[in-house]
Amino acid sequence: MGGSPLRVLVVGAGIAGLAVARALRLAGFRPDVTEKLPPDERSDIGLYLPGNAARALRRLDLDGPVRPLGQIIHRQRFLDAAGAPLCEVDLDALWAGVGECRALPRAELHRVLLTGAGGAVRHGAEIRTVDPLPGGVAVGFTDGTASEYDLVIGADGPRSTVRTLAALGGPPRPAGQVVYRAVVRGGPRVADWTALLGQRAGFLVVPIGAGRLHCYADEAGSTVPADPLARLHELFGEYGGPVPQVLAALQDVQVELTQEVELGRWFHGRVLLVGDAAHATAPTLSQGAAMALEDAVVLAESLKAATSVDAALLAYESRRRPRTRWVRDRTRDRNRTRDVPPALRDPLLRGRGGRIFQEHYRLLVGPL
């Protein structure tokens, strides 16, 4: 169907939606892209992209614009709460032949994807209704306008409106973590992806270029604290390594509860879910953006190769489910490892941690 006049609507202009729009344009389609948020309401946080994300960006012909951004990460270092080494992962060896690992501000990747998608996004367009038609979908918006499409793609995140309207699933379920994110300027010099593991809590620091650090911390829990910055100092005030200097430089902190989306099916009629709308997990493996980028590549290939939309959607879900299931299961594995008491966990990681953490990515090193 490549180059056909297929009418496609992509709902959501985050990483997943813009990547899908880019992939469809490369395949000869011209999708409409809508986003309920105004263009200035996207907060800036850091983002770590493993090697399979770099491969997907290459398939989207966006590796060139991304190359000057952020910082290449060559090594993951795991430390205990005091800052003593536990284990390391050689990222260049792990992702050899796949792609380099990179950390950068999320907003910079978003700008690259927006340009790659053609730049035309209808902001402030919130979906109100999604109704099946013979061979299509009728979409109504909250501003009273309506359109008909051959395919609607819900790329609107874990709390997807499209998922609910299309009867593909309800709200996401809690994954049991409170997550804190911040970008720090003027903090310590850190060259590697560096994580300190404590008692059911962890603190991660990653350089994202220009002297900036992406900070990610989590703890087991289900309640957002009233004062996130004070909670971070309470949780991690006794940690070693770079954490004291990072805490001293912290100003603004974003906090949220982790969520999971696990569905029996990803499409109903001519409505399809991609990215976190279909398969969100806790961010422990840093695979959210990578899975969204891979989704885009495979969806465009499926639509281009198939003789019908229905066949394309079936082929797409069949290809993507094993990888997203692997990410979900390995995410849960790693979270369970983190929850083991340090007195038991830390000796294990000092002996086998590098091999354990590399194994979490084994399937993802393989082809899409």
Side-chain angles (χ1 to χ4, degrees):
M1 293 187 296
S4 75
L6 197 69
R7 298 166 300 170
V8 181
L9 174 66
V10 179
V11 181
I15 290 175
L18 294 178
V20 165
R22 168 65 175 182
L24 293 180
R25 288 176 67 86
L26 290 178
F29 304 101
R30 290 295 178 265
D32 294 338
V33 183
T34 63
E35 168 60 55
K36 67 179 180 181
L37 296 177
D40 59 350
E41 286 196 12
R42 292 192 177 275
S43 55
D44 190 14
I45 58 174
L47 187 65
Y48 168 68
L49 299 175
N52 59 318
R55 173 172 55 194
L57 285 168
R58 194 164 60 245
R59 299 274 285 273
L60 295 171
D61 197 22
L62 294 176
D63 52 321
V66 170
R67 195 171 297 123
L69 306 177
Q71 184 167 325
I72 296 176
I73 307 298
H74 299 283
R75 181 173 62 159
Q76 287 182 329
R77 300 175 64 231
F78 294 86
L79 315 176
D80 66 16
L86 292 173
C87 60
E88 295 184 357
V89 175
D90 181 342
L91 296 173
D92 295 334
L94 173 61
W95 296 104
V98 178
E100 60 201 9
C101 299
R102 182 180 304 274
L104 74 168
R106 186 185 187 95
E108 294 184 3
L109 176 62
H110 190 268
R111 282 194 289 270
V112 169
L113 290 168
L114 181 61
T115 301
V121 175
R122 181 185 170 193
H123 285 277
E126 188 168 359
I127 300 294
R128 181 175 57 86
T129 57
V130 173
D131 297 316
L133 298 172
V137 186
V139 178
F141 297 89
T142 55
D143 64 1
T145 60
S147 297
E148 294 183 7
Y149 293 93
D150 300 303
L151 174 62
V152 173
I153 301 170
D156 50 344
R159 293 178 291 277
S160 169
T161 299
V162 174
R163 184 176 66 236
T164 302
L165 292 175
L168 282 163
R173 66 180 179 219
Q177 297 168 329
V178 184
V179 166
Y180 306 82
R181 292 185 175 92
V183 172
V184 168
R185 296 166 177 82
R189 294 189 62 182
V190 177
D192 302 310
W193 184 104
T194 304
L196 289 87
L197 306 181
Q199 177 71 48
R200 304 194 74 196
F203 198 102
L204 169 66
V205 183
V206 188
I208 57 175
R212 298 162 296 182
L213 297 174
H214 165 54
C215 301
Y216 168 94
D218 63 31
E219 62 170 322
S222 58
T223 304
V224 172
D227 188 338
L229 188 56
R231 179 58 178 162
L232 281 177
H233 282 274
E234 178 186 354
L235 276 171
F236 302 106
E238 301 300 318
Y239 276 44
V243 173
Q245 289 177 272
V246 170
L247 289 176
L250 272 178
Q251 295 181 357
D252 296 321
V253 179
Q254 299 178 36
V255 59
E256 64 181 5
L257 302 178
T258 56
Q259 299 175 315
E260 280 189 351
V261 174
E262 187 176 356
L263 304 175
R265 55 179 178 172
W266 293 352
F267 67 93
H268 182 201
R270 295 292 185 88
V271 179
L272 171 73
L273 302 175
V274 300
D276 282 349
H279 46 70
T281 66
T284 313
L285 293 188
S286 301
Q287 279 292 318
M291 288 295 100
L293 295 169
E294 288 189 0
D295 282 355
V297 171
V298 174
L299 177 57
E301 289 179 353
S302 300
L303 284 168
K304 191 172 182 179
T307 57
S308 71
V309 173
D310 305 284
L313 301 188
L314 184 60
Y316 164 78
E317 183 169 340
S318 298
R319 283 181 61 183
R320 293 302 296 152
R321 267 199 182 273
R323 292 174 78 83
T324 60
R325 186 183 301 117
W326 174 275
V327 170
R328 182 198 67 207
D329 292 346
R330 301 293 81 73
T331 295
R332 292 172 179 172
D333 288 346
R334 184 172 289 193
N335 287 341
R336 282 191 289 268
T337 300
R338 182 207 57 194
D339 291 342
V340 173
L344 299 175
R345 179 196 64 209
D346 292 356
L348 171 67
L349 294 184
R350 286 191 172 98
R352 298 170 47 203
R355 293 191 299 275
I356 291 171
F357 290 139
Q358 286 187 65
E359 171 63 17
H360 292 160
Y361 295 96
R362 176 170 52 83
L363 181 71
L364 305 180
V365 172
L368 296 184

